[in-house]
Amino acid sequence: MLKTWTFKIFAAMTGLCLLVPLVFNPYYWEPCDSPKIFLFFFLIEFALPLYLVLIAKYSECRPNLKNPVTICLVLFVFFQIISGIFGVDPILSFFGDTHRFDSIIFWIHLVLYYFYLELLFRMDKKFISFFLHWFLGIAAFTAMIGVLQWMHILSPITQQFGTRIISVYGNPIFFGSAMIIPIFLSLGLCLQTTNRVKKILYGTVVFLCTTGIILSRARGALVGLGIGLLFAIVFWFFSKKNKKKHQR
């Protein structure tokens, strides 16, 4: 693992991206989307010179361009850029608008974030555990905020969705969708660990995130949760069956 200040600052900036979902400003246009996007852009762009210094100075930091995932992501953004240039509205394609930020610029930042994480995961295996557990912790925290909104202990950012909880996402659909991955990650870790305290913590994350999806009443997230659980049960059944065969 590199112990240079460049690497440490780069790792810190990349890790701070995990806090982006918590950012909102009720007095801003699009109080949840805009502040999150602007902060994410700032962190990614601030870390870019550090990333370039690391890959230029240390050969072990350079990405593996033969990685299939890397190739697919780079090609995806490349074809987005081509289609944006020759599309109906290139400006809208590249920069989006105040309502939808899923622009080419946004995808370029996401791919850069992938490269940052790929470097950190490869250089320091401990960062994988750090990233994973911080990700789950923030998901549980945002789910708790949503539950407290449903209990009227906290006030929602906007009243336009009635009793459907939105947490810090500003939209029950976004909130519900954001809870799916943490549920299955926590469920997998809970089944793997033998530590009782960790089982309780992972189980708490599963409970909070599942409750969040239910209270958000996001139908797509509920369908995804149901299908995911079905696949998880099938996978668990066959893996357990194969394990018994090997034991014999």
Side-chain angles (χ1 to χ4, degrees), residues 15-114:
L16 284 173
C17 289
L18 288 168
L19 301 178
V20 166
L22 302 178
V23 177
F24 67 93
N25 185 347
Y27 304 105
Y28 199 81
W29 175 253
E30 296 291 339
C32 292
D33 295 347
S34 300
K36 287 178 174 58
I37 292 295
F38 292 149
L39 177 60
F40 179 67
F41 281 10
F42 169 78
L43 292 172
I44 294 298
E45 290 166 12
F46 187 91
L48 181 58
L50 303 175
Y51 177 75
L52 295 176
V53 168
L54 289 171
I55 63 174
K57 193 173 181 180
Y58 305 100
S59 59
E60 63 269 28
C61 291
R62 292 164 193 165
N64 178 13
L65 298 179
K66 295 181 180 180
N67 186 318
V69 176
T70 302
I71 294 171
C72 289
L73 285 174
V74 171
L75 287 175
F76 175 74
V77 172
F78 172 75
F79 285 117
Q80 271 201 328
I81 293 171
I82 297 300
S83 62
I85 292 172
F86 297 101
V88 176
D89 192 338
I91 300 297
L92 184 63
S93 297
F94 274 89
F95 298 100
D97 56 29
T98 55
H99 294 282
R100 298 291 179 185
F101 288 93
D102 50 345
S103 60
I104 294 172
I105 297 296
F106 176 63
W107 276 102
I108 290 173
H109 283 75
L110 285 177
V111 171
L112 284 173
Y113 190 44
Y114 161 79

Side-chain angles (χ1 to χ4, degrees), residues 73-193:
L73 285 174
V74 171
L75 287 175
F76 175 74
V77 172
F78 172 75
F79 285 117
Q80 271 201 328
I81 293 171
I82 297 300
S83 62
I85 292 172
F86 297 101
V88 176
D89 192 338
I91 300 297
L92 184 63
S93 297
F94 274 89
F95 298 100
D97 56 29
T98 55
H99 294 282
R100 298 291 179 185
F101 288 93
D102 50 345
S103 60
I104 294 172
I105 297 296
F106 176 63
W107 276 102
I108 290 173
H109 283 75
L110 285 177
V111 171
L112 284 173
Y113 190 44
Y114 161 79
F115 279 110
Y116 297 174
L117 291 175
E118 189 269 340
L119 187 155
L120 291 172
F121 289 173
R122 186 160 36 84
M123 297 301 296
D124 187 359
K125 301 301 181 184
K126 292 180 181 179
F127 195 84
I128 299 176
S129 177
F130 165 83
F131 181 88
L132 179 61
H133 287 91
W134 266 97
F135 173 73
L136 295 178
I138 290 169
F141 182 66
T142 57
M144 187 181 297
I145 290 173
V147 173
L148 292 176
Q149 289 173 348
W150 178 75
M151 297 172 67
H152 302 291
I153 296 174
L154 293 178
S155 299
I157 300 168
T158 175
Q159 301 288 344
Q160 70 180 99
F161 296 102
T163 57
R164 299 176 68 186
I165 64 173
I166 59 174
S167 185
V168 293
Y169 290 88
N171 188 307
I173 297 174
F174 299 161
F175 170 61
S177 301
M179 295 294 102
I180 293 177
I181 293 177
I183 287 174
F184 290 103
L185 283 177
S186 299
L187 188 61
L189 292 169
C190 184
L191 294 174
Q192 285 183 349
T193 186

Side-chain angles (χ1 to χ4, degrees), residues 133 186 189-190 193-205:
H133 287 91
S186 299
L189 292 169
C190 184
T193 186
T194 56
N195 186 297
R196 187 176 179 182
V197 175
K198 289 184 178 181
K199 278 187 176 291
I200 293 172
L201 291 174
Y202 293 139
T204 302
V205 176

